[in-house]
Amino acid sequence: MHSLTRRTFTKSAVVASASFALKGFSQTVSSQRQVGIAPIGLGSIAEVFMRALSKSRNAKLTGLVTGHPVEKGKKFAAMYGVADSSIYTYETFDNIRNNHDIDAVYVALPNSMHCEYTIRAAEAGKHVFCEKPMAISSNECKRMIDACRHAGVKLMIGYRLHHEPVFLKLHELVRSGALGEILQFQAGFYGMKNKQEWRLNRALAGGGSMFDLGVYALNTIRWFAGEEPVDFRTLVATRDKTGKFDSVEETVNCLLRFPSGILAECGSSYGQSGTNYFQINGTTGHVRVEPAFSYGDSILKYEGKTESGDLAGSGAVYDPDQFVTEVTHFANSILQNTEPATPGEEGMKDLLSIEEIYKAAGSLQA
C-alpha cells in the first residue's frame, strides 16, 4: 500500500465513500424498475428501514405486514403511499404470493420469528432481507438457507457495516498489510439499555446482550479476520438482581482464537454505561474506531498508526443513510441476479460462533 499519512488516509476515505456511493447510484439509474419490498413487523428498526426505502433509487415500499393493520398499517400506508390492499396481517401473510408489486420482504421481527417468516416468504416466491441475528440457532439458519435456495430467491442478512464506507476502507487497509500481520482484535458494544421487553425473553430473543449487541462485534471481527474462530473462552455476568435478566444474560466477555493465531476479545452488555468500539492491533500499526457500531446521529471516528505514519478521520453516519446503501445493494442483487455481500451463510457462521460462545460459558447465567 502507498505511504499513508493522516491527511492522505482521510482524503482517500472520503474518495472511497464517494466512489462507493456513485457506483451504487450508477447501477440503480440503469435499472429498469424498482424492487418492491414489504417489511414484516413495524417496530422501530422497520421505521428506519422504511425511511431508507423512501430515499432509495432502486427500491420502494409496496406492502406492509403487521399485527396492527389499523393503528400501524394504515398510518404507514398513508405516509408512504401503499395501497390498503397491500396491508397484510400475520394470518394473511401467505397471500403476498399473489401480490406482484411485492418482490421481497424485510424481516424485522423478534429473533425467534425470523426462521418462520423467511421460509414462508421464500415459499411465496419473495426474496428475503432478514435482520441480524439471522435466527436463534444455526439449525434454523440452515433451514432458512435451504428454503431460499429451493425457491430460487435471494437471502441477505442485515449487516449494515459491510456497506459502510469507513469500515470498507479500514477493511481494505488491513488486507493491504499496512498494519503488518494482525495479532489481535478487540470489540465491544456496551451501554445500550434494553427498550423492548421481548429482548429479555430467551424464547423470543435466543439470548441476551450477545444476540442483540455482541453480534455486531463478533461479525466485524470475523469479517476482518477472514477466517472462523476455533477456540472459545467465555465469562458471563448478571449484576442486575431485579429479575429482569432471569432468562438472558446481561453481560458477556469472550476470547476467541483463530487458526492463524489471531486472538480477539469480544464483549457486550445491556447494563453498563459505556461505549462501542473496534480495535485492530498489528505488528506495524493499529487502528481504533469509536464509536463503531451505533447509528443515527453517531459519527464514526478512527485513529491509529501505520508504519508510514499517523492516520485519523471520521465518517458521518446519519440515520437512515447506512440503511439506504444496504437496501440499494440488496435491490441490485435482485435486479442483476448477483449474490448479496452478506448471504445467509454469513448469518449462520455468526450463530455457529455464538453457540460455541455460550457452550464455553457453561451457562447463560452467572
Side-chain angles (χ1 to χ4, degrees), residues 20 156 159-165 168 325-326 329 341-342:
F20 183 82
M156 176 171 146
Y159 293 111
R160 56 186 167 79
L161 295 182
H162 287 247
H163 308 277
E164 208 291 313
L168 288 168
T325 309
E326 190 179 27
H329 174 83
T342 54

Side-chain angles (χ1 to χ4, degrees), residues 111 132-133 187-194 199 207-220 249-250 266-272 275-276 293 354:
N111 305 336
K132 62 188 172 306
F189 201 163
Y190 306 98
M192 181 181 285
K193 299 289 186 179
N194 177 71
R199 294 190 182 278
S209 67
M210 184 68 219
F211 268 77
D212 186 18
L213 306 178
V215 68
Y216 284 91
L218 173 64
N219 183 262
T220 305
E249 79 285 350
E250 182 181 30
C266 176
S268 64
S269 179
Y270 276 144
Q272 296 180 22
T275 185
N276 57 90
F293 307 125
I354 288 174

